[in-house]
Amino acid sequence: MSSGYHTSWTVPSEHREDPAYRAAGRRMDFAQAVYDRRSVLGWSTAELARRAELSEEDVEAIEESSVEPTLELIERLATALQAGARIDPRTSPEFRFEDYAA
């Protein structure tokens, strides 16, 4: 019998090293990074799509973790989002967009 809501998930270490698990994590980190940066800039999905020369449906799919972050897509979005892209598998999240250094 359950006494409350889940407050955390325990993922066995062997699952964390599974390529499919890691790929899903990359897509989620990428999606969150795009959403976070877009939100900081105050842009709609339509505005980001226009600036990145993508369809609004493409941007929505990215933010829903449905798109694998290819180098070409990362570069396109970093340029549109006026930011650098940082990928570091030693950190969580592994992916983020950062302001350019002044």
PDB file of all heavy atoms in Angstrom, residues 45-67:
ATOM      1  N   THR A  45       7.558  30.198 -29.489  1.00  0.00           N
ATOM      2  CA  THR A  45       8.115  29.167 -30.366  1.00  0.00           C
ATOM      3  C   THR A  45       8.139  29.657 -31.806  1.00  0.00           C
ATOM      4  O   THR A  45       9.064  29.345 -32.556  1.00  0.00           O
ATOM      5  CB  THR A  45       7.330  27.845 -30.271  1.00  0.00           C
ATOM      6  OG1 THR A  45       5.950  28.099 -30.505  1.00  0.00           O
ATOM      7  CG2 THR A  45       7.510  27.187 -28.912  1.00  0.00           C
ATOM      8  N   ALA A  46       7.163  30.469 -32.175  1.00  0.00           N
ATOM      9  CA  ALA A  46       7.119  31.008 -33.535  1.00  0.00           C
ATOM     10  C   ALA A  46       8.306  31.931 -33.799  1.00  0.00           C
ATOM     11  O   ALA A  46       8.901  31.904 -34.880  1.00  0.00           O
ATOM     12  CB  ALA A  46       5.805  31.753 -33.764  1.00  0.00           C
ATOM     13  N   GLU A  47       8.680  32.738 -32.805  1.00  0.00           N
ATOM     14  CA  GLU A  47       9.815  33.649 -32.972  1.00  0.00           C
ATOM     15  C   GLU A  47      11.123  32.872 -33.112  1.00  0.00           C
ATOM     16  O   GLU A  47      11.949  33.183 -33.962  1.00  0.00           O
ATOM     17  CB  GLU A  47       9.907  34.624 -31.795  1.00  0.00           C
ATOM     18  CG  GLU A  47      11.060  35.588 -31.870  1.00  0.00           C
ATOM     19  CD  GLU A  47      11.021  36.550 -33.057  1.00  0.00           C
ATOM     20  OE1 GLU A  47       9.951  36.709 -33.689  1.00  0.00           O
ATOM     21  OE2 GLU A  47      12.070  37.146 -33.366  1.00  0.00           O
ATOM     22  N   LEU A  48      11.311  31.854 -32.279  1.00  0.00           N
ATOM     23  CA  LEU A  48      12.521  31.048 -32.400  1.00  0.00           C
ATOM     24  C   LEU A  48      12.542  30.335 -33.750  1.00  0.00           C
ATOM     25  O   LEU A  48      13.584  30.296 -34.406  1.00  0.00           O
ATOM     26  CB  LEU A  48      12.638  30.034 -31.263  1.00  0.00           C
ATOM     27  CG  LEU A  48      13.829  29.082 -31.358  1.00  0.00           C
ATOM     28  CD1 LEU A  48      15.151  29.831 -31.505  1.00  0.00           C
ATOM     29  CD2 LEU A  48      13.844  28.147 -30.164  1.00  0.00           C
ATOM     30  N   ALA A  49      11.421  29.817 -34.164  1.00  0.00           N
ATOM     31  CA  ALA A  49      11.347  29.134 -35.457  1.00  0.00           C
ATOM     32  C   ALA A  49      11.752  30.078 -36.586  1.00  0.00           C
ATOM     33  O   ALA A  49      12.530  29.712 -37.465  1.00  0.00           O
ATOM     34  CB  ALA A  49       9.935  28.597 -35.691  1.00  0.00           C
ATOM     35  N   ARG A  50      11.251  31.301 -36.543  1.00  0.00           N
ATOM     36  CA  ARG A  50      11.590  32.282 -37.575  1.00  0.00           C
ATOM     37  C   ARG A  50      13.092  32.563 -37.583  1.00  0.00           C
ATOM     38  O   ARG A  50      13.738  32.537 -38.630  1.00  0.00           O
ATOM     39  CB  ARG A  50      10.814  33.582 -37.339  1.00  0.00           C
ATOM     40  CG  ARG A  50      11.021  34.643 -38.416  1.00  0.00           C
ATOM     41  CD  ARG A  50      10.331  35.948 -38.061  1.00  0.00           C
ATOM     42  NE  ARG A  50      10.948  36.623 -36.938  1.00  0.00           N
ATOM     43  CZ  ARG A  50      12.117  37.289 -36.992  1.00  0.00           C
ATOM     44  NH1 ARG A  50      12.802  37.344 -38.116  1.00  0.00           N
ATOM     45  NH2 ARG A  50      12.597  37.890 -35.919  1.00  0.00           N
ATOM     46  N   ARG A  51      13.661  32.796 -36.413  1.00  0.00           N
ATOM     47  CA  ARG A  51      15.073  33.132 -36.320  1.00  0.00           C
ATOM     48  C   ARG A  51      15.992  31.961 -36.678  1.00  0.00           C
ATOM     49  O   ARG A  51      17.093  32.164 -37.178  1.00  0.00           O
ATOM     50  CB  ARG A  51      15.405  33.626 -34.914  1.00  0.00           C
ATOM     51  CG  ARG A  51      14.809  34.990 -34.621  1.00  0.00           C
ATOM     52  CD  ARG A  51      15.033  35.351 -33.156  1.00  0.00           C
ATOM     53  NE  ARG A  51      14.472  36.637 -32.830  1.00  0.00           N
ATOM     54  CZ  ARG A  51      15.179  37.764 -32.701  1.00  0.00           C
ATOM     55  NH1 ARG A  51      16.472  37.751 -32.879  1.00  0.00           N
ATOM     56  NH2 ARG A  51      14.575  38.884 -32.386  1.00  0.00           N
ATOM     57  N   ALA A  52      15.545  30.742 -36.405  1.00  0.00           N
ATOM     58  CA  ALA A  52      16.360  29.558 -36.687  1.00  0.00           C
ATOM     59  C   ALA A  52      16.050  28.947 -38.049  1.00  0.00           C
ATOM     60  O   ALA A  52      16.639  27.942 -38.422  1.00  0.00           O
ATOM     61  CB  ALA A  52      16.139  28.511 -35.600  1.00  0.00           C
ATOM     62  N   GLU A  53      15.116  29.562 -38.768  1.00  0.00           N
ATOM     63  CA  GLU A  53      14.679  29.052 -40.069  1.00  0.00           C
ATOM     64  C   GLU A  53      14.203  27.609 -39.965  1.00  0.00           C
ATOM     65  O   GLU A  53      14.583  26.730 -40.738  1.00  0.00           O
ATOM     66  CB  GLU A  53      15.780  29.212 -41.116  1.00  0.00           C
ATOM     67  CG  GLU A  53      16.159  30.662 -41.348  1.00  0.00           C
ATOM     68  CD  GLU A  53      17.261  30.854 -42.368  1.00  0.00           C
ATOM     69  OE1 GLU A  53      17.841  29.854 -42.846  1.00  0.00           O
ATOM     70  OE2 GLU A  53      17.554  32.022 -42.689  1.00  0.00           O
ATOM     71  N   LEU A  54      13.346  27.384 -38.968  1.00  0.00           N
ATOM     72  CA  LEU A  54      12.687  26.102 -38.750  1.00  0.00           C
ATOM     73  C   LEU A  54      11.193  26.342 -38.732  1.00  0.00           C
ATOM     74  O   LEU A  54      10.744  27.485 -38.638  1.00  0.00           O
ATOM     75  CB  LEU A  54      13.104  25.518 -37.392  1.00  0.00           C
ATOM     76  CG  LEU A  54      14.572  25.179 -37.183  1.00  0.00           C
ATOM     77  CD1 LEU A  54      14.843  24.911 -35.701  1.00  0.00           C
ATOM     78  CD2 LEU A  54      14.946  23.976 -38.025  1.00  0.00           C
ATOM     79  N   SER A  55      10.426  25.283 -38.784  1.00  0.00           N
ATOM     80  CA  SER A  55       8.980  25.444 -38.623  1.00  0.00           C
ATOM     81  C   SER A  55       8.664  25.496 -37.127  1.00  0.00           C
ATOM     82  O   SER A  55       9.447  25.021 -36.291  1.00  0.00           O
ATOM     83  CB  SER A  55       8.224  24.281 -39.265  1.00  0.00           C
ATOM     84  OG  SER A  55       8.406  23.098 -38.511  1.00  0.00           O
ATOM     85  N   GLU A  56       7.538  26.072 -36.793  1.00  0.00           N
ATOM     86  CA  GLU A  56       7.124  26.111 -35.385  1.00  0.00           C
ATOM     87  C   GLU A  56       6.928  24.687 -34.865  1.00  0.00           C
ATOM     88  O   GLU A  56       7.240  24.391 -33.711  1.00  0.00           O
ATOM     89  CB  GLU A  56       5.847  26.930 -35.218  1.00  0.00           C
ATOM     90  CG  GLU A  56       5.514  27.200 -33.777  1.00  0.00           C
ATOM     91  CD  GLU A  56       4.396  28.203 -33.574  1.00  0.00           C
ATOM     92  OE1 GLU A  56       3.884  28.766 -34.552  1.00  0.00           O
ATOM     93  OE2 GLU A  56       4.036  28.403 -32.407  1.00  0.00           O
ATOM     94  N   GLU A  57       6.457  23.791 -35.716  1.00  0.00           N
ATOM     95  CA  GLU A  57       6.287  22.390 -35.334  1.00  0.00           C
ATOM     96  C   GLU A  57       7.635  21.751 -34.998  1.00  0.00           C
ATOM     97  O   GLU A  57       7.740  20.940 -34.077  1.00  0.00           O
ATOM     98  CB  GLU A  57       5.586  21.592 -36.441  1.00  0.00           C
ATOM     99  CG  GLU A  57       4.135  21.967 -36.638  1.00  0.00           C
ATOM    100  CD  GLU A  57       3.940  23.260 -37.449  1.00  0.00           C
ATOM    101  OE1 GLU A  57       4.878  23.708 -38.157  1.00  0.00           O
ATOM    102  OE2 GLU A  57       2.845  23.834 -37.346  1.00  0.00           O
ATOM    103  N   ASP A  58       8.688  22.133 -35.736  1.00  0.00           N
ATOM    104  CA  ASP A  58      10.033  21.628 -35.439  1.00  0.00           C
ATOM    105  C   ASP A  58      10.488  22.071 -34.047  1.00  0.00           C
ATOM    106  O   ASP A  58      11.032  21.276 -33.275  1.00  0.00           O
ATOM    107  CB  ASP A  58      11.058  22.110 -36.471  1.00  0.00           C
ATOM    108  CG  ASP A  58      10.904  21.449 -37.822  1.00  0.00           C
ATOM    109  OD1 ASP A  58      10.300  20.362 -37.906  1.00  0.00           O
ATOM    110  OD2 ASP A  58      11.414  22.031 -38.809  1.00  0.00           O
ATOM    111  N   VAL A  59      10.273  23.345 -33.733  1.00  0.00           N
ATOM    112  CA  VAL A  59      10.672  23.864 -32.420  1.00  0.00           C
ATOM    113  C   VAL A  59       9.881  23.164 -31.324  1.00  0.00           C
ATOM    114  O   VAL A  59      10.442  22.771 -30.292  1.00  0.00           O
ATOM    115  CB  VAL A  59      10.494  25.396 -32.347  1.00  0.00           C
ATOM    116  CG1 VAL A  59      10.732  25.906 -30.922  1.00  0.00           C
ATOM    117  CG2 VAL A  59      11.437  26.088 -33.326  1.00  0.00           C
ATOM    118  N   GLU A  60       8.599  22.972 -31.537  1.00  0.00           N
ATOM    119  CA  GLU A  60       7.782  22.273 -30.539  1.00  0.00           C
ATOM    120  C   GLU A  60       8.264  20.840 -30.345  1.00  0.00           C
ATOM    121  O   GLU A  60       8.336  20.347 -29.218  1.00  0.00           O
ATOM    122  CB  GLU A  60       6.312  22.314 -30.944  1.00  0.00           C
ATOM    123  CG  GLU A  60       5.722  23.705 -30.811  1.00  0.00           C
ATOM    124  CD  GLU A  60       4.352  23.857 -31.445  1.00  0.00           C
ATOM    125  OE1 GLU A  60       3.864  22.891 -32.080  1.00  0.00           O
ATOM    126  OE2 GLU A  60       3.761  24.942 -31.304  1.00  0.00           O
ATOM    127  N   ALA A  61       8.624  20.157 -31.436  1.00  0.00           N
ATOM    128  CA  ALA A  61       9.134  18.783 -31.336  1.00  0.00           C
ATOM    129  C   ALA A  61      10.457  18.752 -30.568  1.00  0.00           C
ATOM    130  O   ALA A  61      10.691  17.844 -29.753  1.00  0.00           O
ATOM    131  CB  ALA A  61       9.300  18.178 -32.727  1.00  0.00           C
ATOM    132  N   ILE A  62      11.307  19.738 -30.799  1.00  0.00           N
ATOM    133  CA  ILE A  62      12.573  19.831 -30.061  1.00  0.00           C
ATOM    134  C   ILE A  62      12.283  19.968 -28.575  1.00  0.00           C
ATOM    135  O   ILE A  62      12.851  19.263 -27.743  1.00  0.00           O
ATOM    136  CB  ILE A  62      13.420  21.016 -30.567  1.00  0.00           C
ATOM    137  CG1 ILE A  62      13.934  20.747 -31.984  1.00  0.00           C
ATOM    138  CG2 ILE A  62      14.571  21.311 -29.605  1.00  0.00           C
ATOM    139  CD1 ILE A  62      14.473  21.969 -32.695  1.00  0.00           C
ATOM    140  N   GLU A  63      11.368  20.865 -28.223  1.00  0.00           N
ATOM    141  CA  GLU A  63      11.061  21.123 -26.818  1.00  0.00           C
ATOM    142  C   GLU A  63      10.278  19.991 -26.166  1.00  0.00           C
ATOM    143  O   GLU A  63      10.157  19.950 -24.940  1.00  0.00           O
ATOM    144  CB  GLU A  63      10.334  22.457 -26.672  1.00  0.00           C
ATOM    145  CG  GLU A  63      11.243  23.630 -26.960  1.00  0.00           C
ATOM    146  CD  GLU A  63      10.620  24.978 -26.681  1.00  0.00           C
ATOM    147  OE1 GLU A  63       9.463  25.043 -26.207  1.00  0.00           O
ATOM    148  OE2 GLU A  63      11.302  25.995 -26.925  1.00  0.00           O
ATOM    149  N   GLU A  64       9.765  19.070 -26.956  1.00  0.00           N
ATOM    150  CA  GLU A  64       9.072  17.886 -26.428  1.00  0.00           C
ATOM    151  C   GLU A  64      10.008  16.685 -26.348  1.00  0.00           C
ATOM    152  O   GLU A  64       9.564  15.562 -26.129  1.00  0.00           O
ATOM    153  CB  GLU A  64       7.865  17.558 -27.297  1.00  0.00           C
ATOM    154  CG  GLU A  64       6.765  18.587 -27.206  1.00  0.00           C
ATOM    155  CD  GLU A  64       5.682  18.410 -28.262  1.00  0.00           C
ATOM    156  OE1 GLU A  64       5.812  17.518 -29.134  1.00  0.00           O
ATOM    157  OE2 GLU A  64       4.707  19.172 -28.210  1.00  0.00           O
ATOM    158  N   SER A  65      11.297  16.905 -26.541  1.00  0.00           N
ATOM    159  CA  SER A  65      12.329  15.852 -26.482  1.00  0.00           C
ATOM    160  C   SER A  65      12.183  14.821 -27.586  1.00  0.00           C
ATOM    161  O   SER A  65      12.626  13.691 -27.436  1.00  0.00           O
ATOM    162  CB  SER A  65      12.314  15.144 -25.125  1.00  0.00           C
ATOM    163  OG  SER A  65      12.466  16.033 -24.076  1.00  0.00           O
ATOM    164  N   SER A  66      11.603  15.211 -28.709  1.00  0.00           N
ATOM    165  CA  SER A  66      11.373  14.275 -29.808  1.00  0.00           C
ATOM    166  C   SER A  66      12.456  14.322 -30.873  1.00  0.00           C
ATOM    167  O   SER A  66      12.380  13.575 -31.841  1.00  0.00           O
ATOM    168  CB  SER A  66      10.018  14.570 -30.470  1.00  0.00           C
ATOM    169  OG  SER A  66       8.978  14.468 -29.534  1.00  0.00           O
ATOM    170  N   VAL A  67      13.438  15.203 -30.714  1.00  0.00           N
ATOM    171  CA  VAL A  67      14.441  15.420 -31.757  1.00  0.00           C
ATOM    172  C   VAL A  67      15.837  15.172 -31.199  1.00  0.00           C
ATOM    173  O   VAL A  67      16.185  15.688 -30.138  1.00  0.00           O
ATOM    174  CB  VAL A  67      14.337  16.864 -32.309  1.00  0.00           C
ATOM    175  CG1 VAL A  67      15.436  17.156 -33.308  1.00  0.00           C
ATOM    176  CG2 VAL A  67      12.967  17.085 -32.928  1.00  0.00           C
TER     177      VAL A  67
END
